[in-house]
Amino acid sequence: MRPRNVWQALTRPGYLLSPWPWRAAAYLLTGAVTGAVTLAVLTASAVAGGVLALAVVGLPLLVLTALAGLPVAALERRRLRLVDADAAPGTHTEPPAPGLRSWLTTRLRERATWRELGHTLLTACLLWPAEALLLAAALLCPLAVVATPLLLATAGDGRETKVLKVWTVTGWPAALAAAALGALLLAAGGYVLGVAAGARAALTRLLVAPPDGGPGPRVVELTRSRARLVHAFEAERRRIERDLHDGAQQRLVALTLTLGLARLDAPPGGPLAEQLARAHEQAGAALAELRELIHGIHPKVLADHGLEAAVADAADRSPIPVDVAFAPPVPRLPQAVEAAAYFVVREALANVARHSGADRAGVRGEHRDGRLALEVTDDGRGGADGARGTGLTGLADRVSVLDGRLTLTSPPGGPTLLRVEIPCEPTATAEPCV
């Protein structure tokens, strides 16, 4: 298996005979050249921008200086191919809208932009001189020592010559010994260049090409995909509600009316009248169940009047008394938040009625500092545990989709407190917010 980077190549026996030492040298050489050119350009841009800033003309130059890390980082990601075959993707996100202003705003707000600028300054001020010095020490100096016999033959007339202007070599035996020493130094320098290139590439990848594009873009994409799922769920819920209301419910109403008219025409007291009466009652029960199902999916009072009115309606439908208090009054919230909050309250009250043995329950809510907080309490036996069932887990998952948090306090003997917090700002149109 061929090595994919210089680190893997360094562990192979034939490293010195492979192209990797020269690729490492080329990587360090191009890095030194890039750093020197970047230093000159940054210095000129910063000086010109500072001088012309009073005339406003220099402000674009200062902005360009701040964005200098973008092209340098793009070049660095390409240069990585010399010593690392793995992909080196950028970490920038796409602007939300076309145009220069949107692009500039997005780039200036990204951490990746400033991280790449820091890498550029580090390259221009510190790294390129170190790379140039290392190339001279590990490559040029050993090559000069290896060339001692050639220097003795051409410049020393076969008698003596100076190597690196500091070492005098006299005679051919000393020249050949110096050449052998230079070969050993060149071999050691090949490993030194490989290690330096690998370290330089690792630093570059850390700053301008984190593995898999870095955690930031993945988090953003996960957040966006989660928001899309919430919107898709709400759209599908509204479609099902509309189909049930306008389709199945209307058909059941028509069937109930038809059975009622048939009962009037059937002879009283006969078996046909009894069957029609039974069918009429079953159709009426099915219609009532369907209406309750539609109301549970998304009650009309929630869409028309908001969360506070919907919670009050759910409390009225509860078989046990429920005290409802919202202070201050909750404004209209995004549809996804209102639907999730109503679902939690409705399911919590249903659990209280089924399992708690409570005589009374309460719902309190408020919206402060961009957060909706709801508390459902009861005076029942307590001992509720989310680990023993999927009901509370489902509620927590429903809230967590909106970056919310659900906490439960239910000691044995009661009371039980279910608290929900969902971050979201009010909206005049009650549209979902992302």
Side-chain angles (χ1 to χ4, degrees):
M1 181 178 178
R2 299 177 60 184
R4 295 189 57 82
N5 55 56
V6 69
W7 292 114
Q8 294 179 3
L10 283 168
T11 62
R12 305 296 174 87
Y15 167 74
L16 291 177
L17 300 178
S18 70
W20 285 100
W22 302 107
R23 294 176 68 170
Y27 179 70
L28 295 175
L29 177 61
T30 55
V33 173
T34 301
V37 173
T38 301
L39 177 61
V41 173
L42 284 178
T43 302
S45 176
V47 171
V51 172
L52 299 176
L54 297 178
V56 185
V57 182
L59 294 180
L61 284 176
L62 294 178
V63 174
L64 289 177
T65 303
L67 297 176
L70 301 181
V72 175
L75 177 61
E76 289 294 318
R77 286 189 285 269
R78 289 181 176 273
R79 285 200 320 112
L80 275 175
R81 299 174 186 174
L82 287 171
V83 293
D84 193 343
D86 292 335
T91 59
H92 295 286
T93 58
E94 290 295 327
L100 179 61
R101 182 175 181 179
S102 176
W103 184 86
L104 282 175
T105 302
T106 302
R107 292 295 173 263
L108 291 175
R109 290 179 177 177
E110 284 181 320
R111 292 183 178 179
T113 300
W114 303 107
R115 188 170 60 243
E116 291 175 356
L117 178 61
H119 170 266
T120 300
L121 295 176
L122 184 64
T123 300
C125 298
L126 294 178
L127 294 182
W128 81 265
E131 290 171 332
L133 182 62
L134 185 63
L135 281 170
L139 184 61
L140 298 182
C141 291
L143 285 175
V145 177
V146 169
T148 300
L150 181 61
L151 293 174
L152 184 64
T154 56
D157 296 330
R159 291 189 297 270
E160 68 176 25
T161 185
K162 279 189 175 292
V163 180
L164 300 176
K165 296 183 180 182
V166 296
W167 179 20
T168 301
V169 175
T170 304
W172 287 103
L176 294 176
L181 177 61
L184 293 177
L185 292 176
L186 186 61
Y191 280 96
V192 171
L193 291 178
V195 172
R200 175 72 165 86
L203 177 62
T204 299
R205 184 176 288 277
L206 177 66
L207 294 177
V208 303
D212 300 329
R218 293 199 300 273
V219 171
V220 171
E221 180 57 29
L222 286 174
T223 303
R224 290 178 176 176
S225 63
R226 185 175 63 180
R228 290 193 294 268
L229 287 175
V230 172
H231 290 177
F233 171 78
E234 289 298 318
E236 184 67 13
R237 178 194 52 73
R238 289 193 295 269
R239 185 191 66 79
I240 293 174
E241 177 192 5
R242 183 175 61 253
D243 291 346
L244 289 175
H245 185 276
D246 298 337
Q249 182 176 248
Q250 299 304 320
R251 291 180 181 273
L252 279 176
V253 170
L255 176 61
T256 303
L257 291 176
T258 301
L259 290 174
L261 293 175
R263 289 181 62 186
L264 295 177
D265 295 337
L272 179 60
E274 294 180 359
Q275 293 179 1
L276 288 174
R278 191 178 304 110
H280 190 211
E281 293 175 357
Q282 292 177 354
L287 180 59
E289 291 179 0
L290 181 61
R291 285 172 176 170
E292 187 66 25
L293 175 62
I294 295 174
H295 186 276
I297 292 177
H298 193 79
K300 185 175 178 59
V301 64
L302 178 62
D304 293 344
H305 302 288
L307 179 63
E308 188 171 349
V311 170
D313 179 70
D316 292 339
R317 293 170 174 267
S318 175
I320 63 174
V322 180
D323 300 321
V324 178
F326 283 83
V330 175
R332 291 309 305 267
L333 300 173
Q335 289 183 0
V337 174
E338 289 187 340
Y342 172 77
F343 176 81
V344 169
V345 171
R346 187 177 60 119
E347 289 300 313
L349 291 179
N351 289 336
V352 169
R354 292 193 198 104
H355 309 298
S356 70
D359 296 325
R360 199 165 194 87
V363 179
R364 293 190 297 273
E366 64 176 0
H367 183 272
R368 294 182 186 275
D369 302 325
R371 300 184 71 85
L372 171 67
L374 290 172
E375 291 183 353
V376 181
T377 60
D378 68 76
D379 58 0
R381 65 177 66 94
D385 185 4
R388 293 186 300 183
T390 59
L392 291 174
T393 303
L395 295 182
D397 292 342
R398 181 74 179 264
V399 171
S400 65
V401 168
L402 299 169
D403 289 331
R405 182 177 62 180
L406 183 145
T407 57
L408 175 68
T409 304
S410 183
T416 297
L417 170 63
L418 179 71
R419 180 176 176 82
V420 175
E421 293 185 5
I422 304 176
C424 200
E425 297 294 336
T427 176
T429 57
E431 289 297 324
C433 72
V434 180

